[in-house]
Amino acid sequence: MCSHREKPATRDNDRVWEYVVSDEKLHLRISASSHESTSLSSFDLLLRRTWEDAAAKGVLRYKLPDLKTKVIPGPTQFVAQLNTRRASQRRRPGHMAHVDQPFDEQQFNFTKINSSEILFSFVDQSDQRSPENDKQHAVIVNVSPLEYCNVLLVPMLRACQPQVLSVESLKLAILFALSSTSRSFRVAFNSLCGFASVNHLHYHAYYLDQKLPCEDWMVSHVAGPCYQLVDYPARGFVFYYEGSVDMLARWCCHMVHEAYR
């Protein structure tokens, strides 16, 4: 079952939405026209409505302009955007010395945000191992947005986990991505010392209505669902979904942790 419902928030007497996802209603195949509003999932509609409502109420640090976007000529067809307000008005990043440094409650983290920044709670109903409270994960608006509907998925926000990739959080991020029926919906992770500005476990998500070159680049098989990009400007891996979100997340994390060494 895949549904959303309203429930009381935990502070300031506000109300937030709760989106419940299970494996049965994930969108594994998306049509070429899925970016059109007629084919948006209930997840997409909830995300867009709550994000636009937050923007209209002045929660964002700036109004997201019509970003100048261009495809750079050449064989790679990289997509470039100009967003000067994010560069000048975003929160100053914390000090990052290592990719796996511990969480520091004295530094800015997402437990310190205003309740108006919480859009809804994302609940993985298929997770039978976690206590009920641990199944609820915060979806908060990025007050310095990169793109349309830029939000942060914060797994178990109150657990105060550092910005280090984990199997359980990556599985959640994959479920988050598969809840959308839009081809333009993206979910991304960047580590400490890799431009992450907050040492509190989170994933970025937003809509980018541009095809990225890595989406159909040539690959060679490495092992299992793992493939390597061939003759790409940057080294990278591609992982194919083979029927198990849990296994996909485990393969990804294994390769990432091997790269740490």
Side-chain angles (χ1 to χ4, degrees), residues 25 28 47 68 96 124 128 133 136 145 208 250-251:
K25 291 293 183 179
L28 301 177
L47 175 59
K68 294 181 179 179
M96 311 301 177
D124 176 13
Q128 301 300 320
N133 288 342
Q136 299 188 20
L208 175 65
R250 291 184 183 279
W251 267 96

Side-chain angles (χ1 to χ4, degrees), residues 114-130:
N114 190 289
S115 62
S116 63
E117 297 176 37
I118 301 176
L119 301 185
F120 58 92
S121 177
F122 188 75
V123 181
D124 176 13
Q125 197 61 43
S126 66
D127 185 0
Q128 301 300 320
R129 295 168 296 178
S130 301

Side-chain angles (χ1 to χ4, degrees), residues 202-219:
H202 66 282
Y203 292 78
H204 277 271
Y206 51 85
Y207 294 93
L208 175 65
D209 196 18
Q210 296 285 339
K211 185 178 181 179
L212 301 178
C214 59
E215 292 179 21
D216 58 3
W217 200 267
M218 184 182 299
V219 297

Side-chain angles (χ1 to χ4, degrees), residues 190-206:
N190 53 336
S191 71
L192 304 182
C193 303
F195 297 104
S197 59
V198 179
N199 186 16
H200 190 169
L201 184 58
H202 66 282
Y203 292 78
H204 277 271
Y206 51 85

Side-chain angles (χ1 to χ4, degrees), residues 18-32:
E18 182 180 84
Y19 188 89
V20 183
V21 65
S22 62
D23 293 339
E24 292 79 11
K25 291 293 183 179
L26 300 178
H27 304 283
L28 301 177
R29 291 181 174 86
I30 300 175
S31 66

Side-chain angles (χ1 to χ4, degrees), residues 19-228:
Y19 188 89
V20 183
V21 65
S22 62
D23 293 339
E24 292 79 11
K25 291 293 183 179
L26 300 178
H27 304 283
L28 301 177
R29 291 181 174 86
I30 300 175
S31 66
S33 61
S34 60
H35 64 281
E36 298 176 0
S37 59
T38 54
S39 59
L40 292 176
S41 67
S42 58
F43 169 85
D44 291 302
L45 295 174
L46 176 64
L47 175 59
R48 292 180 180 217
R49 180 174 58 78
T50 54
W51 189 89
E52 290 174 358
D53 183 60
K57 291 179 178 178
V59 176
L60 308 184
R61 292 193 172 195
Y62 51 83
K63 291 184 178 181
L64 190 65
D66 185 11
L67 297 175
K68 294 181 179 179
T69 304
K70 65 179 295 184
V71 176
I72 299 176
T76 54
Q77 299 285 290
F78 283 128
V79 178
Q81 283 189 327
L82 180 63
N83 187 345
T84 58
R85 293 182 181 178
R86 176 169 170 82
S88 62
Q89 299 183 38
R90 67 181 296 201
R91 182 183 294 108
R92 179 176 297 180
H95 175 66
M96 311 301 177
H98 307 284
V99 294
D100 58 353
Q101 67 188 58
F103 179 89
D104 184 354
E105 64 179 10
Q106 301 302 318
Q107 300 295 321
F108 173 80
N109 61 78
F110 300 121
T111 67
K112 300 181 180 183
I113 64 173
N114 190 289
S115 62
S116 63
E117 297 176 37
I118 301 176
L119 301 185
F120 58 92
S121 177
F122 188 75
V123 181
D124 176 13
Q125 197 61 43
S126 66
D127 185 0
Q128 301 300 320
R129 295 168 296 178
S130 301
E132 193 64 31
N133 288 342
D134 287 349
K135 296 179 184 179
Q136 299 188 20
H137 313 282
V139 179
I140 66 178
V141 65
N142 186 351
V143 295
S144 303
L146 289 161
E147 248 288 6
Y148 175 62
C149 284
N150 187 189
V151 296
L152 305 175
L153 172 65
V154 185
M156 294 186 293
L157 184 148
R158 295 293 171 183
C160 297
Q161 303 174 86
Q163 182 69 350
V164 176
L165 201 69
S166 66
V167 171
E168 289 306 312
S169 72
L170 181 55
K171 178 183 174 182
L172 186 75
I174 295 172
L175 294 176
F176 197 70
L178 294 178
S179 296
S180 172
T181 53
S182 172
R183 292 182 66 88
S184 64
F185 187 63
R186 320 286 177 166
V187 177
F189 177 90
N190 53 336
S191 71
L192 304 182
C193 303
F195 297 104
S197 59
V198 179
N199 186 16
H200 190 169
L201 184 58
H202 66 282
Y203 292 78
H204 277 271
Y206 51 85
Y207 294 93
L208 175 65
D209 196 18
Q210 296 285 339
K211 185 178 181 179
L212 301 178
C214 59
E215 292 179 21
D216 58 3
W217 200 267
M218 184 182 299
V219 297
S220 62
H221 187 233
V222 177
C226 179
Y227 294 74
Q228 185 172 7

